[in-house]
Amino acid sequence: MAQHKAVTVPKPSGTSTDTVLNKKRFANLRQYWDLYLIMVPGIVYFLVFKYLPMWGIVIAFKDYSIFAGFNASEWVGLDHFVRLFHDPQFYQVFWNTVIISLYKLFWGFPGPIILALLLNEIRSMFYKRTIQTLAYLPHFLSWIILGGILVNVLSPATGAVNEIMKWLGFEPVFFLADPAWFRSVLVISDIWKEVGWGAIIYLAALAGIDQQQYEAAVMDGAGKWKQLWHVTLPSIKGTIIVLFLLRLGSILDVGFEQIFVLYNSLVYDVADVIETYVYRIGIGQSEFSYSTAVGLLKSVISLVLVVIVNKAVKRTGQEGIY
């Protein structure tokens, strides 16, 4: 039997793989020009407010003067970082940041998951949408408004919470001026503000679960709790992991607006965090270089945490964020 040899057809002269790909990209750009146009504002936003300001990192290595400018300011190297690690106040601020962040992570991260699971079980659309609206509403209010509400509600003289405590026979508590209570107020108020908004992504993930899995579980005799543990949670596990990684990336961001609105000199020892410390030192005392060094260290720590946790997640067989 005759053997057929493969015939190689030469490519037309003047063409290459790169040229073909470039033509496809140009055709794709012409076809979907409106979608690319929508991307422009977002790209401009990140360039102007996220990437260009990174040039300011150089301030951390200089004795910056607003009169001398970036180039003329004296280069001091790591002097500000040495001062940072020898400053006992920084360690107190860093410890407060870690403690408040862990409290919010431990109590606040499961909140949206639990709310989404509960909303998913409501069959009446009227009640479901009503609860969703009420849960989402605080997210759209600034901390200035919510802070005013909390100051009035938690007032030791006329606040509703202390009035109820008096009626039950307890002594009134000045929650916003008591170091023993202030962190609890921060965590609870943060959950109240963001739990509804955080549940949106989990509700979307729950909507994508194949209903045949629940039908099969029912046929196997699984009740609601077993369906939750063996069908629902495994189906949204990937979403939970990704959001957990993103949360770890901002674990040192405890919410400047919230703390700045609510705290006072009586609770500095437990409430002063890196963000408020940077604001007070950088803006209040005009120590721009030192405050930039503190902010840069915080960003580096957050990046290292994300990389480590992402690798750990991948080793368990799950998908990370990159």
Side-chain angles (χ1 to χ4, degrees):
M1 183 178 292
Q3 295 182 351
H4 299 280
K5 294 183 178 180
V7 179
T8 304
V9 179
K11 294 182 179 179
S13 59
T15 63
S16 65
T17 304
D18 292 339
T19 304
V20 174
L21 289 175
N22 289 333
K23 287 182 178 180
K24 288 183 178 180
R25 290 177 186 141
F26 184 72
N28 186 274
L29 181 63
R30 291 184 59 184
Q31 182 178 359
Y32 301 107
W33 65 270
D34 51 346
L35 298 179
Y36 286 104
L37 186 63
I38 295 174
M39 293 171 56
V40 171
I43 295 174
V44 172
Y45 167 80
F46 280 99
L47 287 175
V48 173
F49 295 103
K50 300 296 182 181
Y51 286 95
L52 289 180
M54 291 179 68
W55 170 247
I57 292 174
V58 72
I59 297 176
F61 305 96
K62 291 191 171 188
D63 187 11
Y64 177 71
S65 170
I66 59 175
F67 301 104
F70 284 100
N71 297 326
S73 296
E74 181 185 358
W75 182 271
V76 296
L78 300 176
D79 286 359
H80 296 298
F81 294 93
V82 173
R83 173 190 167 188
L84 185 154
F85 287 114
H86 286 83
D87 184 3
Q89 187 178 5
F90 171 75
Y91 286 100
Q92 179 64 41
V93 167
F94 184 81
W95 178 249
N96 289 339
T97 305
V98 172
I99 289 296
I100 295 174
S101 294
L102 291 177
Y103 282 170
K104 288 187 175 182
L105 182 65
F106 181 79
W107 296 106
F109 184 76
I113 303 174
I114 296 172
L115 178 61
L117 294 173
L118 293 175
L119 289 173
N120 192 54
E121 295 299 323
I122 299 176
R123 296 294 172 252
S124 172
M125 293 304 298
F126 172 78
Y127 289 112
K128 185 175 183 178
R129 290 173 180 172
T130 302
I131 295 173
Q132 282 181 295
T133 302
L134 294 175
Y136 297 163
L137 183 60
H139 172 79
F140 298 99
L141 301 177
S142 69
W143 274 113
I144 301 298
I145 298 174
L146 295 179
I149 294 173
L150 289 172
V151 168
N152 285 282
V153 171
L154 299 177
S155 170
T158 59
V161 174
N162 276 296
E163 289 296 326
I164 295 174
M165 291 178 64
K166 291 177 184 176
W167 183 72
L168 294 174
F170 296 98
E171 292 294 326
V173 178
F174 197 171
F175 292 96
L176 296 179
D178 189 343
W181 282 97
F182 188 80
R183 287 174 177 171
S184 299
V185 173
L186 289 179
V187 174
I188 294 172
S189 59
D190 184 71
I191 295 174
W192 169 49
K193 187 177 188 297
E194 300 297 341
V195 66
W197 185 254
I200 293 177
I201 298 178
Y202 295 109
L203 285 171
L206 290 171
I209 300 177
D210 188 359
Q211 296 301 311
Q212 292 183 356
Q213 296 185 47
Y214 291 107
E215 296 174 1
V218 171
M219 293 182 64
D220 290 337
K224 286 293 183 181
W225 279 108
K226 289 188 176 180
Q227 292 177 38
L228 173 66
W229 288 107
H230 298 289
V231 178
T232 306
L233 290 178
S235 298
I236 64 173
K237 181 171 62 174
T239 303
I240 295 174
I241 290 174
V242 170
L243 293 179
F244 182 74
L245 288 174
L246 295 175
R247 183 69 177 267
L248 283 179
S250 58
I251 194 170
L252 297 182
D253 297 327
V254 295
F256 169 77
E257 297 88 351
Q258 180 194 18
I259 297 177
F260 187 73
V261 168
L262 295 177
Y263 84 153
N264 53 76
S265 58
L266 296 176
V267 293
Y268 272 174
D269 290 341
V270 297
D272 197 19
V273 295
I274 292 177
E275 293 161 305
T276 56
Y277 179 68
V278 167
Y279 172 82
R280 193 172 65 257
I281 298 297
I283 304 300
Q285 302 180 16
S286 300
E287 296 192 33
F288 303 110
S289 296
Y290 180 68
S291 59
T292 302
V294 176
L296 179 58
L297 178 64
K298 187 189 82 167
S299 299
V300 171
I301 293 173
S302 298
L303 176 62
V304 171
L305 283 174
V306 169
V307 172
I308 292 175
V309 176
N310 189 70
K311 287 186 176 181
V313 168
K314 283 190 172 182
R315 287 189 176 183
T316 62
Q318 303 297 322
E319 292 185 5
I321 57 177
Y322 63 87

